[in-house]
Amino acid sequence: MKYISCLVFVLSASFMMAQADDDVLFSVEGTPVYVGEFKYIYEKTNQGEADYSQESVEEYMDLYKKFKLKVQRARDIKLDTISGLKKELAGYRKQLANSYLIDKEVTERLMQEAYARKKLDVNISHIMVQLPKDVTPQDTLVKFNKIMDIYKQLKGGKKFEEMVSQSEDKTSIKKRGNIGFVTAMLPDGFYNLETAAYNTNVGGFSKPVRTRVGYHIVQVNGKRPARGQVEAAHILIRNNNAKMPELKSPRKPEVIIQQIYDELEGGATFESLVVKSEDKSSVSNGGSLGKFGIGRFDPKFENAVFDLKDGEYSKPIQSAAGWHIVKKIKSYEQLPFDEERGRLQNMIKKDSRYEIAKESMIGRIQKENNFKQYDKVVSQFRNTLNDEFTTYKWKANPKPVNKVLFTLGKESYIQSELETYLEQASRKRQRMGRNGEVAATFDQLYQEFVKMKTLEFEEKQLEKKFPEFKYLMKEYEEGILLFEATKTEIWDRASQDSVGLAQHFELIKKSPKFQWKQRAEVTFYNVKPEAKEMLKTIRKMAAKKDTKVVTDKFNKDKNSIVKVRRETFEAGKNKIVDGMKWKPGALSEVEINEQDGSFNFIKIEKIIPATGKSLSEARGYAVADYQDHLEAKWIKDLELSYKIDVNQKVLDQLIK
């Protein structure tokens, strides 16, 4: 009974929370603003400080009401009908919709799937029927029939080991079809094989799957926790090989490797003995083989590496390449998903599994929405096409053809829509139709059209399926409207209304920010290093004479040894000037420029008393202040013009 009561409470609470997002928090002229929208923007803006305290909620509520007033004004003056803004919004929606459809359903699912699979290694065997590189439809059918015949025999009770002899993978036949342990992600083009390996129970076999090399039936022999990756180094003494005359016989690699091992056991370091390795590619790197996982080296070698602890080295082991002593440098465990996300995403985007999953998603959308194709209509249209279809000359029928090609949900898609698409795809038609196959070209373009319309159909449902998508779209739309309304009502007016700006400046010009502090007009002197002997004379003249007199005296025959520039500083704005005596003629100490050895000093030319700034001098600050003034007045006018109704009960429930 307690369990039932608790369950009822949880379900009731969940229902109430779900309903709460649909409650109206407030309205502007009858236009509702819902709790879910407010919570979304409040949490997004305040991030970790979104504590739903009374002060925080009420403060943000006040800001949000003002925001909604401005948006209402923008709609009333028809800014939402401007074609440029509508186009911008449509472009943003398309981009965001693609992100939600593909990234959330395809990329995210594949990342989660790959991450989960990486936790297991799977030991598999397979029977393969190989497809030739330039495969024809006839080849495909023959190979498909062969693999299906093998599959039927397996289903009929034949042992997997018995049927391996029919495999066309000659390498694995020698090992009864065994490939060994594999782990995700398999190389590009083998996603279906990977899926079969991970989705088939131990001891069972899969249905036939196709990869880029052929058809496979996969048997799963075992599964184990993934070994992950290791970093290792080795010393290699190669097997005797007639093809490698440099390895002269008689020579016993197992004896040589044992001698090296004895040296290790006697106290020599692994690093000092790496020079004896015959793997020349790794000797210069201390024998390092880098970071690797399973399936890269001989299984005997891999087993020895993974059985070691970090820092340990093995006894001599033999592989197909020769005899090794291997040292395990470091083990790498699987990182948390959030840390692996970026790497997985890059790998998936480059892998053909991405397109496979996208096709699967399209199939799901069609199934969920009762996709129905009218094959007769499609066939009739295809039959009307001739060789002109694969040239630039082909055009859509100027008269609308309203025959329905297919339906999706309550939407019907007619022939005229397809014809328009085909006409616009002129280059594709010509490129794909170079082999003269009109029907094949049409079929491929028709399928592209169906997929495109399927995705567009799903895009229209996003607001219903993803509340966050709905809020993002609303945020972006209202952001555009706010920008345009503010530009019209505030920014343009503040910068263009010279009379209003001048009048406003008269009211604010006594404010401290529009006042100059006492200022010093100074000259910066720079004297070249070669004039060091004249520096004292130059300073003496600079203290008493005008700048022009000094430069005329010392800059002769195009040999300018004195450079000057003049600036004005308020008190507190320049450290050196602030440290000088503020009187005309005062000189600073000489400083040597470390870069070129020249000499610098400053002269105060005159002192300007504190005074008010003119409008031209303070224009930037004045315009900003005028904008604030106009906005405050605008909001006050909006508050008088529009009615805001707040649902206090709902607001109180938001506060924690």
Side-chain angles (χ1 to χ4, degrees), residues 150-160 163 205 217:
I150 295 170
Y151 180 67
K152 286 173 185 174
Q153 291 185 62
L154 287 170
K155 293 290 284 184
K158 283 285 186 78
K159 296 292 183 183
F160 193 88
M163 302 303 296
F205 57 85
I217 297 171

Side-chain angles (χ1 to χ4, degrees), residues 4 75 90 98 109 155 240 274 328 351 370 378 407 409 420 497 529 539 575 597 643:
I4 294 173
R75 295 190 192 283
N98 184 64
R109 183 182 71 76
K155 293 290 284 184
N240 287 328
V274 164
K328 188 176 187 180
D351 195 278
N370 301 314
V378 176
T407 58
T420 301
D497 181 10
R539 279 174 58 81
K575 200 177 215 180
K643 183 182 178 183

Side-chain angles (χ1 to χ4, degrees), residues 18 92 243 345 387 430 453 509 646:
Y92 177 77
K243 295 180 181 178
Q345 188 173 37
D387 291 343
Q430 293 176 63
K453 290 301 178 182
K509 67 181 183 180
V646 177

Side-chain angles (χ1 to χ4, degrees), residues 240-270:
N240 287 328
N241 192 329
K243 295 180 181 178
M244 300 178 69
E246 68 272 18
L247 303 182
K248 296 177 181 178
S249 236
R251 167 185 182 279
K252 294 184 177 180
E254 64 272 25
V255 173
I256 298 171
I257 201 74
Q258 185 63 46
Q259 290 170 347
I260 295 172
Y261 180 75
D262 291 342
E263 289 184 67
L264 270 175
E265 290 289 280
T269 64
F270 185 90

Side-chain angles (χ1 to χ4, degrees), residues 71-80 477-478 481:
V71 171
Q72 186 66 41
R73 172 63 177 164
R75 295 190 192 283
D76 286 351
I77 59 176
K78 306 297 183 185
L79 292 179
D80 56 339
E477 178 190 13
E478 293 185 343
L481 293 176

